[in-house]
Amino acid sequence: MTAFAPDSLVLNRKLPLWYQVSQSLRASILGRTSDASLRLPTEERLAAHYGVSVLTMRQALKELEEEGLISRHRRRGTFIEPGARRSAPRRLLGSIDAIVAQQSGERTTVLGHGPEPVPGELAEHFPGLTEVATYRRLRSDGESDEPTNWAENAVRPEFAAAIDPADLERWPMTKVLRDVVGVRISRITDTVEARLADPATADLLRVPLLSPILHYTGVTYDEDNRVVDVARIRYRGDRFSFTVTVEAR
């Protein structure tokens, strides 16, 4: 069994530190390998890893404990819950790590990938391009194997050339682009809307045709303000909810 190793994190001083740490740690927990230890490092070691105080780390762990992802035991330590529910409501405050965490956790199957003409509805995001690399993935609950969502990503060809599809079975596209390909992501624009399941979605998610789904569109920009990736994810309406928290300054 390998030791649990949390991902690194570049802190954004405009957002609460405990929140950023909790979302980064959440993504690490849900994206861990199957043979990773369920025991987390101590509060002190985690605080040193993220460069925050023990008090901040404690608050981040409390958030994960309330979600049911971890349990804390006096004198024994902190442990990942092996049967933790992965479809709990997400609290998003605008960090990239929150997006990574929101996309993590299910078993992912790559359905296909390759170059395709730029879809008409995405042409505004890829001016001057005639072709993008498209990746299609199906995510399923790790315990029941029930499909929860399926995703389509349209990626600029120059970045797609460095993507190993095998990485997409373990990590979300946002994490692969940022941490593997090395894209310096400046922002992600999210849109969530209610739609009805089309034939492809109904088939993949095993829901009735025209049943309600949540349709998420995420447009990722690099530091040169170019669109790097457009993600379109269809979530089963009975499995997901999104919560946005606005905090007073």
Side-chain angles (χ1 to χ4, degrees):
M1 179 175 288
T2 61
F4 175 81
D7 294 338
S8 59
L9 172 66
V10 177
L11 293 170
N12 179 346
R13 297 293 167 177
K14 295 182 179 180
L15 293 172
L17 297 182
W18 66 266
Y19 170 77
Q20 296 177 71
V21 170
S22 72
Q23 293 303 306
S24 178
L25 188 53
R26 184 183 192 281
S28 298
I29 288 172
L30 295 180
R32 71 191 186 279
T33 58
S34 58
D35 62 341
S37 171
L38 294 178
R39 186 187 186 113
L40 291 183
T42 64
E43 289 180 351
E44 291 76 12
R45 289 183 62 187
L46 285 171
H49 173 79
Y50 286 114
V52 297
S53 69
V54 172
L55 186 62
T56 295
M57 192 68 239
R58 208 165 281 162
Q59 190 173 2
L61 291 172
K62 181 181 177 183
E63 176 84 357
L64 299 179
E65 184 178 27
E66 290 177 351
E67 188 179 337
L69 286 179
I70 64 172
S71 59
R72 310 181 73 191
H73 305 274
R74 188 177 179 86
R75 296 191 180 91
R76 289 180 53 213
T78 303
F79 297 84
I80 298 168
E81 287 290 332
R85 186 72 171 171
R86 284 155 168 80
S87 58
R90 312 294 193 239
R91 180 151 56 146
L92 302 180
L93 293 184
S95 75
I96 291 174
D97 283 283
I99 301 299
V100 171
Q102 173 254 311
Q103 295 173 356
S104 298
E106 291 86 20
R107 183 175 62 82
T108 301
T109 302
V110 176
L111 301 175
H113 61 90
E116 293 185 6
V118 176
E121 64 271 26
L122 301 185
E124 63 177 303
H125 297 301
F126 298 105
L129 292 183
T130 59
E131 194 174 77
V132 291
T134 300
Y135 298 83
R136 295 181 176 89
R137 292 159 295 142
L138 177 67
R139 298 191 183 103
S140 306
D141 184 273
E143 296 176 8
S144 67
D145 203 36
E146 183 179 48
T148 59
N149 65 89
W150 79 279
E152 264 185 315
N153 289 81
V155 181
R156 294 186 74 90
E158 61 266 38
F159 296 112
I163 294 175
D164 182 349
D167 285 338
L168 294 175
E169 295 186 350
R170 179 181 176 189
W171 296 314
M173 178 65 80
T174 305
K175 179 176 175 62
V176 171
L177 287 170
R178 184 188 66 177
D179 298 345
V180 178
V181 179
V183 176
R184 297 179 65 86
I185 297 174
S186 64
R187 72 185 192 279
I188 299 175
T189 301
D190 294 334
T191 303
V192 180
E193 57 187 321
R195 290 194 184 180
L196 301 179
D198 57 34
T201 297
D203 181 57
L204 286 169
L205 300 186
R206 302 179 201 164
V207 297
L209 183 65
L210 301 181
S211 61
I213 63 166
L214 289 178
H215 189 282
Y216 163 91
T217 303
V219 183
T220 300
Y221 297 81
D222 67 9
E223 60 184 0
D224 295 322
N225 205 38
R226 292 180 303 174
V227 172
V228 176
D229 165 50
V230 178
R232 291 173 291 174
I233 309 176
R234 292 84 167 175
Y235 294 93
R236 280 182 54 154
D238 61 343
R239 293 299 304 272
F240 281 85
S241 63
F242 291 83
T243 301
V244 179
T245 300
V246 178
E247 295 195 347
R249 296 297 181 184

